[in-house]
Amino acid sequence: MRRAIYPGSFDPVTNGHLDIIERGCKLFDEIIIAILINPEKRPFFTIEERREILKEVLQEINRSTCGLRVDDFEGLLVHYAVAQEADAIVRGIRAISDYEYELQMALMNRRLEPTIETVFMMPAEKYSYVSSRLVKEVFQLGGELNGLVPSLVEERMKQKMASG
Ligand SMILES: Nc1ncnc2c1ncn2[C@@H]1O[C@H](COP(=O)(O)OP(=O)(O)OP(=O)(O)O)[C@@H](O)[C@H]1O
Ligand SMILES: [Mg+2]
């Protein structure tokens, strides 16, 4: 039984995230999609909203060949990973710009917890420029999100915007 943690903000979940989850499923029996609670960031969606959206989106696609769980955590990722009895941390690499930061984090995490491996995965090229930050920017400027996020995510963003 191989278990991985896929940590991130998922504010909101994008098709790039889903691509990584699908690929990760080929390597692991279970992936816990773990939303990092970061009090310093001003998010678009609350943790509860992100949890709910992720669950719905994952149910909708429902083509995964592994077990998927949605959770959230605070504090050190490696502490959370050990508590969940995970073998690995999955991260996505889009470009060289991701690599530098990700390598630093992976090596620090290894130092803190040598039993947990970090696995880097590359998305399909069509998602290699998709980030939550850019999705929010495009959305706030009135651009189409078709193909970048699941339609449910775009709907929720519109609802949230409309409700102030
Ligand atoms: N399009 C994508 N392709 C591959 N990996 C991705 C993609 N988007 C995010 N990831 C990876 O998913 C993990 C979690 O990312 P995170 O939730 O921070 O998303 P993000 O899109 O980078 O958000 P933000 O723009 O707020 O930083 C990270 O390892 C990140 O590199
Ligand atoms: Mg990021």
Side-chain angles (χ1 to χ4, degrees):
M1 168 78 189
R2 290 267 157 207
R3 179 180 292 136
I5 310 285
Y6 181 35
S9 309
F10 305 102
D11 186 35
V13 60
T14 69
N15 286 343
H17 292 129
L18 297 177
D19 182 278
I20 295 297
I21 292 168
E22 261 187 75
R23 288 173 201 281
C25 268
K26 296 181 193 165
L27 304 181
F28 296 99
D29 302 301
E30 184 179 63
I31 299 180
I32 304 176
I33 296 111
I35 308 168
L36 168 67
I37 302 173
N38 184 353
E40 273 158 44
K41 273 201 187 170
R42 261 193 62 229
F44 186 89
F45 287 116
T46 65
I47 296 285
E48 291 69 33
E49 288 168 335
R50 278 178 266 167
R51 270 184 90 123
E52 201 231 314
I53 291 169
L54 265 165
K55 277 184 192 165
E56 274 192 55
V57 164
L58 293 173
Q59 246 167 31
E60 227 173 50
I61 56 174
N62 196 27
R63 58 190 167 202
S64 292
T65 50
C66 74
L68 295 175
R69 199 140 53 88
V70 179
D71 194 14
D72 52 56
F73 74 102
E74 251 175 316
L76 275 185
L77 172 59
V78 287
H79 288 170
Y80 173 76
V82 168
Q84 295 297 320
E85 297 180 358
D87 304 285
I89 293 164
V90 168
R91 296 290 287 176
I93 299 268
R94 284 162 289 200
I96 299 293
S97 49
D98 277 336
Y99 177 76
E100 201 171 314
Y101 173 73
E102 293 291 342
L103 177 69
Q104 209 177 18
M105 289 299 294
L107 293 177
M108 180 58 81
N109 283 336
R110 179 184 285 166
R111 179 198 161 106
L112 294 170
E113 187 48 64
T115 63
I116 307 261
E117 293 296 334
T118 298
V119 174
F120 291 127
M121 306 207 69
M122 280 71 68
E125 283 135 73
K126 63 181 170 184
Y127 301 130
S128 62
Y129 59 89
V130 179
S131 73
S132 299
R133 182 188 58 78
L134 205 49
V135 160
K136 284 181 280 194
E137 248 176 67
V138 168
F139 174 77
Q140 266 146 7
L141 297 173
E144 265 300 315
L145 297 184
N146 223 333
L148 303 178
V149 298
S151 52
L152 182 133
V153 170
E154 191 170 2
E155 269 165 45
R156 293 299 162 87
M157 289 179 88
K158 285 179 179 158
Q159 281 169 13
K160 177 109 184 173
M161 194 81 145
S163 68

